[in-house]
Amino acid sequence: MPIYWAFLTYMLLRPGVENHEYFFMFDGIDKVLHLSIFAALGFCFIAAFPKIRFSYYFQIILIYAFLTEIFQEEMNLGRSMETLDIVADTIGCLIGYYIYKILIRKFYK
């Protein structure tokens, strides 16, 4: 969990680079990536701390999402703060949370 969190922080805050166009790229791919990496983060976080209250879980993930977006803007490394990234992060963490809950319910009943 700490390794994934550190890797995620690095990837979210590293200097922006000019992306080359690949066949699989489309408009909005960065939102899909935000959603998926935060779904994985949310899943890992709730799996590591299964007894945490949902409100604490949600606040911690949301604060992390806000901080990374603010740091992207303030560090002037070619990245910018985007509100839709925070929305994608929030939806991703909720997806990760509910996938964990569904799997636990399915396999432990």
Side-chain angles (χ1 to χ4, degrees):
M1 172 76 181
I3 293 171
Y4 180 71
W5 209 310
F7 174 73
L8 181 58
T9 302
Y10 168 74
M11 293 304 290
L12 290 170
L13 297 180
R14 72 189 183 109
V17 294
E18 187 64 33
N19 290 331
H20 301 288
E21 289 296 320
Y22 296 105
F23 71 93
F24 58 84
M25 296 184 81
F26 55 90
D27 287 338
I29 192 169
D30 62 323
K31 305 309 178 250
V32 173
L33 293 172
H34 271 267
L35 188 131
S36 60
I37 61 176
F38 271 82
L41 176 65
F43 183 88
C44 291
F45 188 79
I46 196 65
F49 303 102
K51 296 190 187 286
I52 193 170
R53 290 177 44 185
F54 176 77
S55 61
Y56 294 152
Y57 162 85
F58 191 67
Q59 288 173 11
I60 290 167
I61 300 288
L62 204 56
I63 288 169
Y64 178 72
F66 271 105
L67 285 175
T68 56
E69 289 299 317
I70 290 168
F71 288 153
Q72 283 179 2
E73 184 70 28
E74 295 299 318
M75 292 173 67
N76 295 321
L77 295 173
R79 309 287 301 254
S80 62
M81 181 177 179
E82 294 185 32
T83 305
L84 287 179
D85 284 348
I86 295 171
V87 172
D89 298 345
T90 303
I91 294 169
C93 86
L94 293 173
I95 289 171
Y97 179 85
Y98 287 113
I99 287 174
Y100 174 81
K101 291 297 183 181
I102 289 168
L103 289 175
I104 288 299
R105 200 172 307 133
K106 183 177 181 176
F107 290 112
Y108 288 107
K109 275 196 171 184

